[in-house]
Amino acid sequence: MADAHAKPEHDYHLVNPSPWPFLGSIGALVTAIGGVSYMQYLKGGDFSLFGFNIANPWLFFIGLLIIVYTMYAWWSDTIKEAHEGHHTHVVSLHLRYGMIMFIASEVMFFVAWFWAFFDASLFPGEAQQYARTAFTGGVWPPKGLEVLDPFHLPLYNTVILLLSGTTVTWAHHALIHGDRKGLINGLVLTVGLGMLFTMVQAYEYMHAPFGFRDSIYGATFFMATGFHGFHVIIGTIFLLVCLVRAMKGDFTPKQHFGFEAAAWYWHFVDVVWLFLFTSVYVWASSGAVIEGH
């Protein structure tokens, strides 16, 4: 007869089914329906579902609240499982696979924005795109459009992000070597630089000589750089949570996947910005009228 208390031969841990994937999917569905409902509400139109007019802003925010709560509760459970020793080698490996796949999916988002940008910029006078030629004048940037100076605020933000990449690497190196003070200092600097980047970009947007609706240049510019800016905000929050956990002593040199995932995400944000800076800011501004020049 087998011993009920014998150590299992497998290297994984069975846990109780989690309610958070189901609740998160409900939140995503409510947010999607609420988003359409909100847009119809702003237009002054109706949005009927099962015979009821649900054109209002509240459904969207209810769905968003469900998602935020799911994120908090699910990640809290993940941290709790780690403290209880349930993150075996196999579980940790699969967490890393999950983060890699998530970043890969984010890469594809940016592929879409870059595709839209390069399609418009490389073929501004395409014969089959009559409307595009009319808007751009057959050149890129479009005729009569002033663009931002790439070697002013964009270059400043590039230096900020590159510096933040070094500080988060310093924090990781300190963690591996058991230097808790270095870990905290590195994270404080990285979070501060992330906030500074966001403030500089907000200032740049407020003083941009073109708008989102002005041209295809403005649309592709704000979609690509704005989506990246959103990722910087998410990454800053991610690192801020890691900073709080570092102060509480949650991370050890052998167990710190939460911080590792944040560092991977931040380096991904850095690399995307380098592509944005060289293509959207520098290359696209060559031969154009620079604001203030």
Side-chain angles (χ1 to χ4, degrees), residues 148-219:
L148 294 165
D149 184 355
F151 299 109
H152 186 216
L153 292 180
L155 180 60
Y156 182 60
N157 260 351
T158 302
V159 174
I160 290 173
L161 270 192
L162 290 177
L163 185 59
S164 72
T166 63
T167 55
V168 77
T169 302
W170 166 35
H172 192 194
H173 186 270
L175 173 56
I176 292 173
H177 289 82
D179 179 8
R180 187 160 170 262
K181 183 179 179 182
L183 165 64
I184 293 172
N185 289 340
L187 281 173
V188 167
L189 287 173
T190 308
V191 170
L193 289 167
M195 291 179 176
L196 180 60
F197 177 94
T198 300
M199 289 187 288
V200 172
Q201 189 166 52
Y203 179 86
E204 177 186 88
Y205 279 9
M206 288 187 291
H207 294 81
F210 51 86
F212 183 89
R213 299 181 179 182
D214 293 349
S215 65
I216 191 172
Y217 180 92

Side-chain angles (χ1 to χ4, degrees), residues 1-210:
M1 182 176 180
D3 184 0
H5 300 287
K7 183 179 179 181
E9 296 180 0
H10 49 71
D11 189 25
Y12 56 86
H13 177 75
L14 298 177
V15 296
N16 295 326
S18 172
W20 309 125
F22 177 74
L23 185 62
S25 63
I26 294 297
L29 178 63
V30 173
T31 303
I33 296 174
V36 177
S37 168
Y38 194 5
M39 286 185 279
Q40 289 296 325
Y41 169 79
L42 293 175
K43 288 172 57 180
D46 295 334
F47 182 64
S48 297
L49 187 67
F50 304 117
F52 297 96
N53 179 24
I54 60 170
N56 64 79
W58 303 112
L59 196 61
F60 172 76
F61 292 108
I62 290 172
L64 202 60
L65 187 63
I66 294 172
I67 291 176
V68 171
Y69 174 73
T70 301
M71 292 164 61
Y72 172 79
W74 196 344
W75 285 331
S76 295
D77 281 357
T78 304
I79 293 171
K80 181 182 177 183
E81 290 166 5
H83 289 330
E84 292 175 351
H86 300 321
H87 285 185
T88 63
H89 174 72
V90 172
V91 173
S92 297
L93 181 64
H94 289 175
L95 287 171
R96 284 168 170 78
Y97 284 158
M99 190 63 193
I100 291 170
M101 293 177 69
F102 170 69
I103 292 176
S105 70
E106 294 293 289
V107 169
M108 298 313 296
F109 267 117
F110 283 101
V111 166
W113 306 137
F114 276 110
W115 191 312
F117 170 78
F118 281 113
D119 180 63
S121 60
L122 292 175
F123 308 103
E126 186 179 3
Q128 296 178 350
Q129 299 280 358
Y130 304 110
R132 179 185 297 178
T133 305
F135 277 108
T136 63
V139 295
W140 191 265
K143 280 186 177 180
L145 185 74
E146 285 189 6
V147 300
L148 294 165
D149 184 355
F151 299 109
H152 186 216
L153 292 180
L155 180 60
Y156 182 60
N157 260 351
T158 302
V159 174
I160 290 173
L161 270 192
L162 290 177
L163 185 59
S164 72
T166 63
T167 55
V168 77
T169 302
W170 166 35
H172 192 194
H173 186 270
L175 173 56
I176 292 173
H177 289 82
D179 179 8
R180 187 160 170 262
K181 183 179 179 182
L183 165 64
I184 293 172
N185 289 340
L187 281 173
V188 167
L189 287 173
T190 308
V191 170
L193 289 167
M195 291 179 176
L196 180 60
F197 177 94
T198 300
M199 289 187 288
V200 172
Q201 189 166 52
Y203 179 86
E204 177 186 88
Y205 279 9
M206 288 187 291
H207 294 81
F210 51 86

